[in-house]
Amino acid sequence: MKSFLLIFHFLLQILLCGFLCSISNAKDTITATDFLTDGKTISSSDGCFEMGFFSPASFTNNWYVGIWYKHYVPDKSVVWVANRANPITNTSGAMLKIANPGRLALLTAANTIVWSTNSSRPLAAKNPIAQLLNSGNLVVRDANDAKVENFLWQSFDYPTDTLLPGMKMGKNFVTGQEFYLSSWKNEYDPAPGEYTYHCDPTGYPQDVMRKGKVKVFSTGPWNGLRWSGVPGLTKNNIYTFKLDFDEKKAFYSFALLGPVMTKLTMNSNGVLQRSLWAENRQEWHVYLSSPADTCDNYGTCGAYGSCNNILTPVCSCLDKFVPKDPRNWAVTNWSGGCVRRKPLNCQKGDGFLKYSGIKLPDTQYSWFDASMTLHECKQTCLRNCSCMAYSDLDIRNGGSGCLLWYGNLIDIHELPGGQDIHIRMANSELGSKKTKLVVLSLSLLIGATVIGLVIGLYIRKKKKKRKMNLKDDLDLPLFALSILNKATSNFSVENKIGEGGFGSVYKGILEGGQEIAIKRLSKSSSQGVNEFKNEVICIAKLQHRNLVKLIGCCIARGEKMLVYEYMRNRSLDLFIFDETKSLLLDWPKRFNIINGIARGLLYLHQDSRLRIIHRDLKASNILLDADMNPKISDFGIARSVVGNETGANTHHVVGTHGYMSPEYVVHGVFSVKSDVFSFGVLVLELISGRRNRGFSHESHSINLLGHVWKLYKEGRPLELIDAHLTDSCYISELLRLIHVALLCVQQCPEDRPDMPTVILMLANDAILPEAKEPGFFTESKVTSEYSTSMCSTNEITVTLLEPR
Ligand SMILES: *[C@@H]1O[C@H](CO)[C@@H](O)[C@H](O)[C@H]1NC(C)=O
Ligand SMILES: *[C@@H]1O[C@H](CO)[C@@H](O)[C@H](O)[C@H]1NC(C)=O
Ligand SMILES: *[C@@H]1O[C@H](CO)[C@@H](O)[C@H](O)[C@H]1NC(C)=O
Ligand SMILES: *[C@@H]1O[C@H](CO)[C@@H](O)[C@H](O)[C@H]1NC(C)=O
């Protein structure tokens, strides 16, 4: 993986900014004699950014001076506005010019100053000019002094709603100046809106979104690697990010690794978006957005409440806590939060209980020390009765430093990749020390009467042989057999729409007219029971628009049935491998399907609480709704891995040949990278319209993967493409996807990209690394082909797959 990143990085460096921007001859400066009027612009010397007059909508007569990407973007992406609160209504005669002493000013025809820059040392420049730098920073400086520290003024110190690479967000403790984003009032009015986004260093730094004065979202504190509550912010090939924090300053910033356009924008509707310009689609591709779900709304569950987006309801009290106001809590008003079951007794002595997998609470009332050990941290917290919790300050290298919280703990989430926190507890609650792993217990009250179905799923972690019981309440409607009988005319043959792995699938219509699909597990299959439980547990907890939705289940008279939303267009294989139906899927539709599957997989691998490896991703398990949106289905053999565990081993290899990765078939080792392999096969099938398994070619006896590899090596990848896709105007995108797919099906799991990287690769035209030989390109030599020596050894394979 390292070499993969290195190559990628290297190629990106070579191309840095020679790509989306084209060096322009336009001027990049405003001088005393040369000013800017409506209709004229200046551009950064590399042609990336442009500045001039603009009006945000044709129906307003309001004009502003702003900076935008010069590269073609359908709706001009304005990244900075000068006179955001003071529009000009008549640009005739208006100008942006250098005015003495040392400032840049926007004047109307009547010579009134609408906006101007400002400097503490206005006389420092003898010959002041304004220049638009390649970073998008507009600076006022002396014509003969380009030193950063001597700039009189820079737009990067006055952000509007967009954080560009190289800009900073946070606070200078020496000058007291704060740099933060503030949204536009609305899409057409750049005046400061309701939402602001700060890197807030009160207590310990965390990013905070406010609506007016009210906190609406917080990232949780910085943990050395990232924000505690944003596990999706991981090392990637597009940008790096950091927190620069000492006595003098707390600045959050990011920097680009490649020739891409990416920005962080505080939108006027209260959503913070990290987007990436997808050149091939000519649109901004939203890569991360916050708040993303109910749990992201600040303090959803109140003090000591814990939010988990996968559960229904999302809020529960932390273990050993109970709702403070049970009545309101029961009707999903969680604002009252929770209190300790047993009150603290600081005089008689308290202790601490460790909670794991947590987004750390708001650090507004906190204290820290980078040099303390965790033990000293505990002692410090114990000495002060209002100290409620402590944790590592920095999680790198096994953890270091000390972070303490005073007062109630707010905005706690349960997250994959969450952290440990030690919460103050009455001594009598501490119990035996043996319970090293404290799993958050979830309140099992609600719904228990509705469903008598509580299923324990035991996940064995092979190395540590530690068992964890996930006996969660499933808030899932139970259907009576009679209702399903009626919906399907007693499971008549006409209503049968498919034969799944462990039974048949029927179409049904409920009394209200809702269409459903019913998976009826065959009574004879003994395996069925486990698969049934597995699927119920997995999917009931997962909610994503690219995963098929489970509506309910039915257990009666030895029958086990799952009720799903009905997918009008059934499954993907019925289209792509069918000569006439395949005509209905043009390339934009297929690309949309590929993207949807990728997002669904990303959710399974990364975003859901139970990290899920699907293990049986294939065309017939991709269902299509009426609008041809894909939904991943069939979680019968999916496996959940807990927390950071990313690989596992099984003696019972199940799956579908043609889609299974070599390390899985041969050694039973599966990981998220086995799903990536299957995804790669699927993409190639979508592009070629041919099945991997059973592929035949007149001139050789290799399978589809081998065929693609051969064409790729010989520089003829176009020959792969499904005949009726070739006359579309998306050839370069198709070629790129073949390349991405080949990266996904590489022999060694560590060479394959993970899903976040795949999504970036799909979105963006950055240079891809060279693909290595795919696994299994001849079907006949399945077992001999793959030898462990070609990759690393079995043990290492598992550890190498740590998330990055
Ligand atoms: C805009 O300003 C110019 C110059 O001052 C003037 O001639 C023109 O009438 C103005 N237009 C409007 C619509 O006010
Ligand atoms: C200009 O400087 C003054 C004093 O330093 C400050 O109060 C004011 O906010 C500044 N204005 C702008 C637009 O930066
Ligand atoms: C929600 O609960 C809190 C106390 O727990 C209460 O003060 C508040 O009025 C409740 N809000 C509503 C809308 O019922
Ligand atoms: C405990 O910490 C709080 C917050 O820092 C402080 O105000 C208080 O004085 C401390 N109490 C003692 C006894 O040190």
Side-chain angles (χ1 to χ4, degrees), residues 69-85:
Y69 287 102
K70 184 165 187 176
H71 182 76
Y72 170 74
V73 174
D75 295 312
K76 188 181 281 179
S77 292
V78 175
V79 296
W80 183 79
V81 185
N83 55 322
R84 62 185 305 193

Side-chain angles (χ1 to χ4, degrees), residues 115-120 153 158 177:
W115 171 89
S116 86
T117 68
N118 176 348
S119 166
S120 50
W153 180 91
Y158 300 89
Q177 200 177 0

Side-chain angles (χ1 to χ4, degrees), residues 709-745:
W709 177 244
K710 192 164 175 288
L711 293 175
Y712 173 77
K713 288 312 269 183
E714 292 167 4
R716 310 182 286 141
L718 275 178
E719 292 174 27
L720 175 73
I721 299 170
D722 194 343
H724 68 269
L725 295 177
T726 46
D727 55 283
S728 66
C729 46
Y730 298 100
I731 293 300
S732 69
E733 192 166 275
L734 277 154
L735 291 176
R736 163 172 198 80
L737 261 83
I738 293 174
H739 193 158
V740 173
L742 277 171
L743 292 171
C744 292
V745 297

Side-chain angles (χ1 to χ4, degrees), residues 36 51-54 63-68 78-88 96 104-106 114-117 138 153 155 158-161 184 190-192:
L36 195 65
M51 181 169 97
F53 287 78
F54 76 97
W63 289 82
Y64 303 87
V65 167
I67 298 174
W68 53 83
V78 175
V79 296
W80 183 79
V81 185
N83 55 322
R84 62 185 305 193
N86 288 321
I88 326 180
L96 185 68
L104 181 67
L106 177 61
V114 174
W115 171 89
S116 86
T117 68
L138 175 70
W153 180 91
S155 65
Y158 300 89
T160 55
D161 68 338
W184 287 23

